[in-house]
Amino acid sequence: MSLAPRFAAYAEWRTQLAARIGALQDWLVRNELAGPQTALRFALLQDRLRDDKLTVAFVAEFSRGKSELINAMFFSAYGSRILPSSAGRTTMCPTELRWDEGKPAQLELLPITTRASNRGVSEFRNRSEAWTVVTLDTGSANAMQAALRHVSETIRVAPDEAASLGFAVGEEASDLYRVGADGLVEVPRWRHALINFPHPLLQQGLVILDTPGLNAVGAEPELTLSLLPNAHAVLFLLAADTGVSQSDLVIWKEYIGGAGLPREGRLVVLNKIDGQWDELKSRAEVDGEIARQAASCAAVLGLAPTQVYPVSAQKALVARVNADPALLQRSRLPLLEEALSQALIPARRQLVGERVASEFMALAAGVRTLQESRLAGLRSQLEELVGLRGKNQGVVEYMMGQIGSEKAAFEAGLQRYYAVRNVFNSHSASLFSQLNSDNLRQLTRETRSTMLEANFSSALSEAMNAFFARSRELLLAAGREIDEILEMMDAVYRRFASEHGLKLGAPTAFSLNRYTAEIDRLQSWCDTHLNTMLTLLTRDKKNITQKFFEEVAIQIRRAFEQANKDVEIWLRAIMAPVETQVREHQLQLKRRLDSLRRIHQATDSLEERISEFEAAEAALARQMETLDSLAGEIEALLRRS
């Protein structure tokens, strides 16, 4: 199964899963089984499924055929090229193709001059006024082509401005950004492009990232530190006629296949194999030459030959436009698409399935515990009422007194719960204080000031190392607060279970290890690209400082922001079972006391109340069967992952 049908199957599975979870949530609300915290957790679970994206990045030096490959794989149905694809430099800025149903079909372009603001691309994503917008006429291939040519646009600026925008200006003919006869340098007009396009795969959650060549890749920190490392699949393109050039090797080692970089879903594509086709040679001879070139490229990159996929993107596009299956097979594109779908979809489906299963099982277990608590309460009340048959009013009064004492004891226990809740809130506030943006802003200000005032390269290096160390300290302090909260809530769970018979299980654990690992990754990158003796000695400290905060500090800030969100969800999850069980136990005590009062006051006969409780018990048993059925449907879908 190739990429399109496999991805469609994955999207359908995800849609069915979200629909079943939504149906269960609606049923829980109707049956008063979803408190505010449970409803919020269900909503977050559905948001994760709805917002799930799969990013495929195409990376290469200029003129390797990235845009042509994207056209062949995704846009051949238009009968023409949609993305600009010709000799030379076509994609001048990182370009994302995605679908956001909240926006019309359009091209959004972020001017290159926004780099002067020292802000990352992500900081402009929600600032619509910063982008130039071009409407897309998706019904016309020609109109689409004309609109998307904007990603190829350039401007000419003074050399010092080009350098300040991150482009390495040279004087040699081989330099990509060199001073022309007019004294100016040609640079990309746009910094980033977002194409909102209603392609079926994009509508199902696929995101395609088309990148420019080495010089532009290295100049955009968000691309190298966030978009590429987090892409679910990366296709690295080489040209069959050149093999692995020096700039190809730099891109591979620094951004794709180097030490410490993710290896899952990374595929090497040897494009333009049609250049090897020779009518004077047999098919076997041509295939042998292509195989030797692929093996040579694999050896340079340190891969097995089977990890390099020879294709002809141009012939594949022609074959699909002209409905020529023989040419399509010879282009070998179907083999690449099969490899990509195998590398991308099953792993993602398993990961999403595991995450949803973990959260859903916890939610379902909580609801089941609530139902069991209600059933136990109903049976206890039923036993009390049945035991009253043939007894006088004095016995009823005695039982009312017993329940009243039990209620008073529970309410006394609630005072301890409220005290614990105050301590919980205090720990939560302390936890958030370690992760909040104020701490990071203060650390950023202090580090920037230290770096700008540094007189020696060693002071610059120490300041960068101290920034990472302090960031880790904040996470460690937050981790200690998490451990204290977990220990406290474990004691609360056990106390309420032993003293009042509440069914609480064990509190959910949480770890900040993933964010510590992200800081380790960023420091490793910094130690390779910024905090090196050569860089510290040869580059201006102001430039190093600017790059450090543009390329590294902003990523750490994002990690802290995500940690804040995850911690907030965890705190709700760990407190919700206690709140739900306490509320339910209070209601059960009230119902027992009200029932006995009504019998004592002769407003209800004993047999009528017994019948009511028997009917309620049967209804709750049916309700539990329904929960098992609804949860079973979801679990069956998750097992299919």
Side-chain angles (χ1 to χ4, degrees):
M1 187 185 296
S2 63
L3 180 62
R6 195 186 293 271
F7 191 86
Y10 168 71
E12 177 60 23
W13 169 80
R14 193 179 55 204
T15 300
Q16 289 181 15
L17 193 55
R20 297 285 173 83
I21 291 174
L24 174 58
Q25 183 182 0
D26 292 341
W27 179 82
L28 292 174
V29 170
R30 289 196 304 272
N31 289 276
E32 299 180 346
L33 288 165
Q37 300 289 3
T38 300
L40 177 61
R41 291 174 69 190
F42 265 103
L44 289 171
L45 188 56
Q46 285 189 282
D47 286 345
R48 287 179 186 171
L49 285 170
R50 184 176 56 251
D51 296 337
D52 177 51
K53 302 290 185 183
L54 275 172
T55 300
V56 179
F58 292 75
V59 182
E61 188 54 288
F62 291 116
S63 300
R64 301 299 189 262
K66 296 185 306 296
S67 300
E68 188 79 331
L69 184 58
I70 295 172
N71 283 325
M73 294 177 71
F74 303 107
F75 299 113
S76 59
Y78 274 83
S80 181
R81 293 182 176 89
I82 296 301
L83 290 183
S85 178
S86 59
R89 299 156 62 190
T90 52
T91 303
M92 297 298 295
C93 65
T95 302
E96 290 181 67
L97 294 94
R98 56 171 62 231
W99 175 246
D100 180 351
E101 62 182 13
K103 294 181 178 179
Q106 61 185 22
L107 168 64
E108 297 173 83
L109 299 156
L110 185 65
I112 194 67
T113 51
T114 57
R115 280 191 183 163
S117 67
N118 296 332
R119 293 189 178 96
V121 173
S122 61
E123 297 184 71
F124 288 99
R125 287 183 183 265
N126 295 321
R127 294 178 55 187
S128 58
E129 73 280 2
W131 300 74
T132 297
V133 178
V134 179
T135 301
L136 296 180
D137 179 2
T138 58
S140 167
N142 290 334
M144 285 282 292
Q145 289 172 352
L148 296 183
R149 286 195 194 100
H150 284 291
V151 301
S152 304
E153 291 177 341
T154 60
I155 55 175
R156 300 189 67 80
V157 299
D160 57 344
E161 183 179 356
S164 70
L165 293 174
F167 300 105
V169 179
E171 299 293 339
E172 302 298 327
S174 59
D175 291 323
L176 188 59
Y177 301 104
R178 58 183 180 273
V179 180
D182 58 358
L184 301 177
V185 179
E186 184 180 66
V187 300
R189 182 177 182 183
W190 310 108
R191 181 181 183 185
H192 202 88
L194 298 172
I195 301 173
N196 199 51
F197 181 65
H199 184 282
L201 289 180
L202 303 184
Q203 289 174 315
Q204 292 164 6
L206 182 67
V207 176
I208 300 169
L209 176 61
D210 188 12
T211 64
L214 172 61
N215 290 62
V217 168
E220 192 53 67
E222 181 166 335
L223 183 63
T224 57
L225 276 176
S226 179
L227 292 178
L228 287 181
N230 293 322
H232 302 97
V234 176
L235 274 64
F236 177 56
L237 274 71
L238 304 168
D241 56 346
T242 60
V244 183
S245 70
Q246 187 59 40
S247 57
D248 290 327
L249 194 57
V250 171
I251 292 178
W252 173 257
K253 288 182 176 179
E254 291 200 13
Y255 306 119
I256 303 171
L261 295 171
R263 285 302 185 100
E264 297 79 13
R266 274 46 184 165
L267 304 177
V268 177
V269 181
L270 185 63
N271 193 22
K272 304 186 179 182
I273 61 170
D274 54 292
Q276 306 292 326
W277 297 357
D278 188 339
E279 293 181 358
L280 299 179
K281 295 179 181 179
S282 68
R283 182 71 63 87
E285 288 176 316
V286 170
D287 289 345
E289 289 183 1
I290 293 172
R292 285 190 291 275
Q293 179 71 310
S296 174
C297 293
V300 174
L301 299 177
L303 301 173
T306 54
Q307 292 177 273
V308 176
Y309 295 87
V311 301
S312 170
Q314 191 269 336
K315 297 303 181 188
L317 178 60
V318 171
R320 284 186 164 158
V321 169
N322 295 331
D324 186 340
L327 182 59
L328 181 62
Q329 289 303 313
R330 194 176 183 195
S331 76
R332 305 196 193 187
L333 183 62
L335 295 176
L336 172 62
E337 291 178 327
E338 174 65 20
L340 176 59
S341 66
Q342 288 283 4
L344 184 65
I345 308 300
R348 183 61 182 173
R349 184 161 172 166
Q350 181 180 356
L351 179 61
V352 170
E354 288 173 354
R355 288 178 177 174
V356 171
S358 175
E359 180 72 6
F360 172 74
M361 295 303 181
L363 285 167
V367 174
R368 181 73 187 195
T369 299
L370 178 58
Q371 286 184 315
E372 289 173 351
S373 176
R374 287 185 179 179
L375 184 60
L378 273 174
R379 286 173 175 169
S380 175
Q381 291 179 68
L382 188 55
E383 288 175 8
E384 287 176 348
L385 294 178
V386 170
L388 289 176
R389 281 174 171 156
K391 302 293 174 54
N392 58 30
Q393 292 286 77
V395 174
V396 177
E397 291 176 0
Y398 172 77
M399 290 184 65
M400 287 171 59
Q402 289 289 97
I403 296 172
S405 299
E406 186 180 340
K407 186 171 180 289
F410 182 72
E411 288 174 349
L414 280 183
Q415 298 307 311
R416 292 195 297 273
Y417 163 71
Y418 293 136
V420 168
R421 183 62 196 252
N422 288 335
V423 176
F424 174 85
N425 289 338
S426 176
H427 276 296
S428 298
S430 179
L431 171 56
F432 283 123
S433 74
Q434 304 297 335
L435 298 174
N436 70 20
S437 56
D438 290 341
N439 275 337
L440 216 54
R441 274 196 292 266
Q442 178 65 22
L443 175 60
T444 299
R445 283 194 296 267
E446 292 172 357
T447 306
R448 189 190 296 272
S449 176
T450 301
M451 292 178 70
L452 290 175
E453 293 172 3
N455 293 320
F456 301 100
S457 58
S458 59
L460 279 175
S461 179
E462 289 168 3
M464 286 186 273
N465 289 333
F467 183 88
F468 288 114
R470 179 58 183 146
S471 298
R472 286 192 188 88
E473 288 173 7
L474 291 172
L475 287 180
L476 286 172
R480 288 192 291 270
E481 292 288 351
I482 287 171
D483 291 341
E484 289 187 32
I485 291 172
L486 191 60
E487 183 179 352
M488 179 185 70
M489 293 308 297
D490 183 58
V492 170
Y493 276 36
R494 285 187 278 106
R495 172 180 289 177
F496 274 84
S498 63
E499 292 182 1
H500 305 292
L502 305 188
K503 298 180 179 180
L504 291 167
T508 305
F510 184 76
S511 171
L512 292 170
N513 288 344
R514 77 193 77 171
Y515 307 106
T516 303
E518 175 67 0
I519 290 178
D520 291 343
R521 181 182 75 84
L522 292 168
Q523 183 164 18
S524 176
W525 184 93
C526 183
D527 289 344
T528 304
H529 293 82
L530 285 181
N531 196 3
T532 68
M533 186 60 66
L534 178 63
T535 302
L536 293 172
L537 290 175
T538 59
R539 294 178 64 174
D540 178 68
K541 69 177 181 180
K542 191 172 183 180
N543 178 267
I544 293 174
T545 301
Q546 179 177 334
K547 287 186 72 66
F548 179 77
F549 288 102
E550 281 185 16
E551 302 187 14
V552 177
I554 190 171
Q555 298 296 328
I556 290 182
R557 190 182 74 190
R558 284 183 199 151
F560 271 69
E561 288 172 352
Q562 188 58 50
N564 260 289
K565 293 176 183 177
D566 290 344
V567 162
E568 186 176 0
I569 293 170
W570 173 70
L571 290 173
R572 289 187 179 126
I574 202 173
M575 184 55 73
V578 181
E579 293 180 337
T580 301
Q581 288 286 315
V582 165
R583 186 168 56 249
E584 185 64 24
H585 198 68
Q586 283 180 305
L587 287 172
Q588 287 180 11
L589 289 171
K590 183 178 182 299
R591 291 189 191 111
R592 288 171 64 193
L593 198 55
D594 288 346
S595 180
L596 288 174
R597 280 176 179 157
R598 291 171 66 181
I599 292 170
H600 183 258
Q601 295 168 1
T603 56
D604 283 337
S605 73
L606 178 60
E607 294 303 322
E608 285 176 348
R609 296 298 290 164
I610 289 174
S611 296
E612 287 178 10
F613 275 96
E614 288 175 338
E617 181 185 18
L620 185 52
R622 291 192 298 272
Q623 190 184 80
M624 294 174 76
E625 290 177 359
T626 302
L627 174 64
D628 288 342
S629 176
L630 292 171
E633 293 175 357
I634 294 171
E635 290 168 14
L637 270 174
L638 288 169
R639 284 194 294 271
R640 281 171 46 191
S641 67

